[in-house]
Amino acid sequence: FYFTDTQASKMLNRRSLRVKAMQSLFAYNQCRDANFNLGLAELEEKFTPNLNSMEPQDKELLKTQKKEAKSLFAHKIQAIPLPENFEPSLEVEKAVQIVHRDFLSNAKSDRERLKKAMIMDAESLNDSFLWSISLLIAWSDLSKTEADKKSKLSPEKMQVGDYNLSKNKVIDYFRKASKFQVAALKCNVDWSAEEDTVKHWYKEVLKRDEEYAAYRRTANPDFDKDKDIAEYLVKSLLFKAEVILSYFEEEDIRWVENKSIIRSLVSRTIRDLEADDEPKEFDLPDFSNNWEEDKEFFEQIFDWSIDHDKEYSEIIAAKTKNWEIERLAVTDQIILKMAISEMLNFGSIPVKVTINEYIELSKNYSTPKSKQFVNGILDVVSNEFKENGRLKKTGRGLLDNK
C-alpha cells in the first residue's frame, strides 16, 4: 500500500509525512550542532586559567590540554581525524568523557522529544478540524444572539434571513453530533476564551462578505443552500481571510504546511453530508487512509536516517567529487539520507517514486540548484545499489520506472 502523487490526496499522505520527517531531522541536526558547541564551550571553560585560584596556573599546559580536548571531542562526534602521535593526558580524556556522555544524553533526549512532537503534529490535524468546525458553530451562535437582540430592539430592521445561520442545518448537525462534541471537549476545543476575537471576525469578515449577505436575504433556505454557504464559509473565509489565517499561524507553527489538509478534511466532511444524515451517526474523518501504516513509515524514515547517518554520509561523500559532505547544504544532506534510507528499507516503494519525491522536496525546501544535484546523486546511488544487489524490492516496488 502506498500513496502516489497522481492520487493527489489532500489527506495526510506520504509526501506530507516526508516533509514533516525532514523538518524534524533538520531540527535534530540543529540540536546536535548546539550540543556540540555546548560541549566545546564546557571544555573551553575546563581548561581556562582560573583567575581566582591561589595556585600557580600553567597557561601553556592548559592551552595545550584545551586544544587536545577539543580535538578528541570533535573526533568522537564528527569523526574528524586526530593528529599523528596524538596522546592526550588522562585529565583531558576524563574531561572529554564527561562532555561526550552529556552530548549523547542530550542527543537521545532531543531525538525522543522531536520524534514525539513529529507524531503529535500529524495527529493534531483532527484537533484543527475540530477548531474549524467549532468556529462555524460559534459564528452561528453569534448570529442568533444578534438576531434576537435586533428582534427585540429594532424589529423593523430585521431581514428575512437573519436567523438563517443560526438554523443552518449543516452547522446544526455538528452542534448535535455527540462524537464531535465529545472530541471537542476532550481536546479542549472551545472558542469562548477567544470571544472577542471570534466577534471581531464575525463583524469584520463574515458580515462584510457579499455571499453571506445574499444568504441572509434568502427566505427559508433548504439543505442544499445551507450546505453551499457552509462550504463557502470554509473555503473563502475561514481558510482565506488573512486575519483568521494569521491567528492560526501564530497558534500553530505548522499551520501553513497543514492548512490544505485541514481545509480538505473540513470541506469534504461538509460536502459528504446528506439531508437525512443523523448526527448520532457522525464519525470524525480520517486524516490518513491508513494511519498505522503511515505512522510506521513516518517513524522508520526518521529513525533509520539517524541510526545510519554515518553510513549514508559515506555513501554520499563517495559520490560528491571535490566536495566534502559538510560543505553541502544541510537540507540537501538530510534529503539525500532520507532517500537512501527509503530506497534500502522500504521494499514496496519503487525507486523512481522515491527519487521523484525527494526531488520535489529539494525544489520546495532547499537551494535553487538542489533539484539537479539531488537528482544526479540519487540516480548514481540507485544504480550502484541495483548493481551490488542492495535493493530488495517487493510487490509494487518491483516496478521498473527507469
Side-chain angles (χ1 to χ4, degrees), residues 76-135:
K76 288 180 176 292
I77 304 303
Q78 300 178 337
I80 296 176
L82 293 170
E84 289 187 21
N85 302 318
F86 183 79
E87 294 184 7
S89 66
L90 183 60
E91 188 174 4
V92 166
E93 289 185 338
K94 285 183 176 179
V96 172
Q97 184 179 28
I98 293 172
V99 172
H100 185 231
R101 182 191 62 204
D102 290 343
F103 175 90
L104 294 177
S105 177
N106 289 334
K108 182 180 178 182
S109 297
D110 290 333
R111 177 174 176 170
E112 292 173 351
R113 173 179 55 82
L114 289 167
K115 183 177 177 181
K116 182 179 179 180
M118 183 179 77
I119 299 299
M120 288 180 63
D121 172 56
E123 294 179 336
S124 70
L125 290 170
N126 266 345
D127 293 359
S128 297
F129 169 85
L130 295 170
W131 279 106
S132 301
I133 294 292
S134 293
L135 180 56

Side-chain angles (χ1 to χ4, degrees), residues 131-185:
W131 279 106
S132 301
I133 294 292
S134 293
L135 180 56
L136 294 181
I137 295 174
W139 278 349
S140 175
D141 293 341
L142 276 175
S143 73
K144 184 180 187 306
T145 300
E146 184 180 64
D148 286 344
K149 183 177 180 180
K150 187 190 292 187
S151 176
K152 182 178 180 180
L153 300 178
S154 307
E156 72 282 358
K157 295 183 180 180
M158 289 291 292
Q159 292 190 49
V160 68
D162 275 343
Y163 279 101
N164 283 353
L165 193 63
S166 66
K167 296 179 180 179
N168 183 285
K169 301 170 189 64
V170 170
I171 296 176
D172 197 50
Y173 173 89
F174 295 108
R175 187 187 281 113
K176 294 177 179 177
S178 59
K179 289 184 180 179
F180 177 87
Q181 296 303 328
V182 168
L185 183 64

Side-chain angles (χ1 to χ4, degrees), residues 38-71:
L38 181 63
L40 291 178
E42 290 180 12
L43 293 173
E44 177 85 22
E45 184 177 357
K46 170 69 177 176
F47 295 104
T48 295
N50 185 353
L51 300 180
N52 296 318
S53 175
M54 300 300 293
E55 298 293 328
Q57 304 284 300
D58 189 335
K59 294 183 179 179
E60 286 303 315
L61 175 60
L62 289 172
K63 184 177 179 180
T64 299
Q65 290 177 323
K66 182 192 304 182
K67 183 177 179 180
E68 289 179 344
K70 288 184 175 181
S71 295

Side-chain angles (χ1 to χ4, degrees), residues 131-294:
W131 279 106
S132 301
I133 294 292
S134 293
L135 180 56
L136 294 181
I137 295 174
W139 278 349
S140 175
D141 293 341
L142 276 175
S143 73
K144 184 180 187 306
T145 300
E146 184 180 64
D148 286 344
K149 183 177 180 180
K150 187 190 292 187
S151 176
K152 182 178 180 180
L153 300 178
S154 307
E156 72 282 358
K157 295 183 180 180
M158 289 291 292
Q159 292 190 49
V160 68
D162 275 343
Y163 279 101
N164 283 353
L165 193 63
S166 66
K167 296 179 180 179
N168 183 285
K169 301 170 189 64
V170 170
I171 296 176
D172 197 50
Y173 173 89
F174 295 108
R175 187 187 281 113
K176 294 177 179 177
S178 59
K179 289 184 180 179
F180 177 87
Q181 296 303 328
V182 168
L185 183 64
K186 183 179 179 180
C187 297
N188 296 314
V189 175
D190 183 4
W191 283 105
S192 61
E194 298 287 347
E195 184 178 1
D196 290 341
T197 299
V198 174
K199 285 182 177 179
H200 176 72
W201 293 344
Y202 176 78
K203 179 181 178 181
E204 300 298 326
V205 177
L206 181 62
K207 291 186 66 177
R208 291 175 180 267
D209 185 78
E210 288 300 322
E211 286 290 327
Y212 176 65
Y215 176 69
R216 288 179 66 193
R217 294 192 295 268
T218 303
N220 302 315
D222 59 16
F223 181 84
D224 288 337
K225 283 189 170 57
D226 281 349
K227 184 196 285 192
D228 287 344
I229 194 64
E231 279 197 80
Y232 173 81
L233 296 183
V234 168
K235 293 180 179 179
S236 299
L237 299 187
L238 202 156
F239 285 91
K240 206 167 187 179
E242 194 62 38
V243 65
I244 299 177
L245 293 180
S246 296
Y247 172 86
F248 280 110
E249 286 173 18
E250 290 178 6
E251 295 294 314
D252 181 2
I253 60 173
R254 309 278 193 179
W255 175 257
V256 173
E257 172 191 325
N258 291 337
K259 181 179 67 174
S260 63
I261 301 171
I262 301 164
R263 180 180 59 208
S264 179
L265 283 174
V266 177
S267 297
R268 189 188 68 206
T269 302
I270 291 174
R271 185 173 61 249
D272 289 347
L273 282 180
E274 300 294 341
D276 57 352
D277 285 348
E278 291 290 334
K280 64 182 179 181
E281 296 174 354
F282 172 76
D283 285 315
L284 291 173
D286 293 326
F287 59 86
S288 164
N289 276 347
N290 191 326
W291 176 233
E292 289 308 311
E293 289 190 12
D294 284 346

